[in-house]
Amino acid sequence: MSEPYRPIACGLHDTLEDRIVRRSACRVEWTAGSGETQVFTGRLLDIAVKGGEEEVVLEDGRRVRLDRLRRVDKTEF
């Protein structure tokens, strides 16, 4: 069972939305459910809500819960 979702700060949400609107590539780091750090470099496509949890949609099709993000480019979460 996963941990309860914790909403992220509005400023961090704005950072993600900026990357999506600009369609700019970025480097994203997050902690997977297994505890391992994952890294993706590419575009963010959207922010979606699934079961009350917000997720960022990566261009390779993966979805990452926003509260698992650790860094987008130089912005720490």
Side-chain angles (χ1 to χ4, degrees):
M1 182 177 218
S2 65
E3 295 179 24
Y5 178 75
R6 296 175 321 245
I8 64 170
C10 291
L12 299 175
H13 206 279
D14 291 345
T15 297
L16 295 172
E17 288 177 348
D18 179 67
R19 297 304 193 292
I20 292 166
V21 169
R22 293 178 187 270
R23 300 179 53 85
S24 58
C26 56
R27 184 174 193 273
V28 181
E29 296 177 26
W30 70 93
T31 304
S34 63
E36 294 179 24
T37 299
Q38 301 288 312
V39 178
F40 167 81
T41 301
R43 292 184 304 127
L44 308 180
L45 299 182
D46 200 4
I47 295 176
V49 179
K50 179 181 175 184
E53 300 174 352
E54 290 183 293
E55 302 174 322
V56 64
V57 181
L58 309 177
E59 73 178 326
D60 68 0
R62 288 184 284 176
R63 293 173 172 245
V64 180
R65 272 182 28 174
L66 299 191
D67 63 341
R68 291 195 175 151
L69 294 173
R70 296 295 160 245
R71 180 183 303 264
V72 174
D73 291 330
K74 295 181 181 180
T75 303
E76 290 190 27
F77 280 62

